[in-house]
Amino acid sequence: MTLKEIDHLVKKSRFASIGFLDEEGNPGIRKVFSTWHKGLGAHLISTNTSSRHVQALLKNNRACLYFDNCRTFQGVCFTGTVLVHFDYEHKALIWNEGDEKYYPKGVEDEDYCVLEFQAEHGRYYRYDGIGDISADELAEYDKEAEFGNYARR
């Protein structure tokens, strides 16, 4: 897969799976709504502050983020770190109409936060091959990228 094909896969995905380690070192994975991307290397995710994965990521920010297309059996897994944002700017940026069903108090709901996943490298697969994406390749591909909401495109 080319980086452009991987970018298309990521931007067409409305969901991703985030992998993390809990405080006992056990792996966990959660499906998350992820439509805000900055190239391939940065992704914004809205989630509940009280959730186990957020609490685990506050203690150990190492994570992986997996995007896939089940119908075509292709996917990409990025490994990196997560920053947890509680500030109004990040929360307002990715707020969508209808989010109040998850966060009844709106943008300022204390149980609403934003995860910023920063990829360090990745690995992809598809019927025609498997390959790695280096940190240098991510940096070059993303050098002029800006965050955008691909659910609205």
Side-chain angles (χ1 to χ4, degrees):
M1 290 177 79
T2 67
L3 293 179
K4 189 171 183 174
E5 290 172 318
I6 294 166
D7 189 48
H8 181 76
L9 170 68
V10 167
K11 288 177 179 158
K12 288 292 182 187
S13 300
R14 292 183 53 93
F15 300 96
S17 297
I18 190 164
F20 59 94
L21 295 174
D22 69 16
E23 56 247 3
E24 295 175 2
N26 296 312
I29 193 160
R30 295 293 178 274
K31 184 74 83 175
V32 292
F33 187 65
S34 180
T35 62
W36 280 84
H37 312 291
K38 181 179 176 185
L40 292 173
H43 310 275
L44 299 177
I45 300 160
S46 65
T47 194
N48 294 91
T49 305
S50 61
S51 64
R52 287 186 181 181
H53 62 280
V54 170
Q55 297 310 304
L57 289 164
L58 286 168
K59 293 179 176 126
N60 178 354
N61 71 343
R62 301 291 305 158
C64 65
L65 194 62
Y66 180 74
F67 296 91
D68 71 319
N69 182 327
C70 302
R71 292 184 321 255
T72 60
F73 201 68
Q74 57 186 336
V76 61
C77 185
F78 297 109
T79 302
T81 58
V82 171
L83 295 169
V84 183
H85 297 285
F86 302 101
D87 60 278
Y88 182 86
E89 290 75 22
H90 279 90
K91 291 163 63 169
L93 174 67
I94 70 169
W95 184 264
N96 289 300
E97 186 176 322
D99 283 352
E100 56 278 347
K101 97 173 147 181
Y102 305 105
Y103 317 109
K105 297 178 186 171
V107 174
E108 297 191 55
D109 194 318
E110 61 276 354
D111 197 34
Y112 170 44
C113 67
V114 174
L115 305 181
E116 181 177 351
F117 180 87
Q118 294 286 331
E120 295 170 356
H121 54 86
R123 185 160 178 80
Y124 63 87
Y125 72 86
R126 187 170 68 176
Y127 62 88
D128 59 352
I130 297 169
D132 294 313
I133 308 165
S134 71
D136 289 341
E137 288 173 302
L138 286 172
E140 178 63 26
Y141 190 82
D142 292 355
K143 69 181 173 185
E144 294 183 26
E146 295 182 15
F147 273 113
N149 183 355
Y150 290 87
R152 297 181 181 161
R153 295 182 182 187

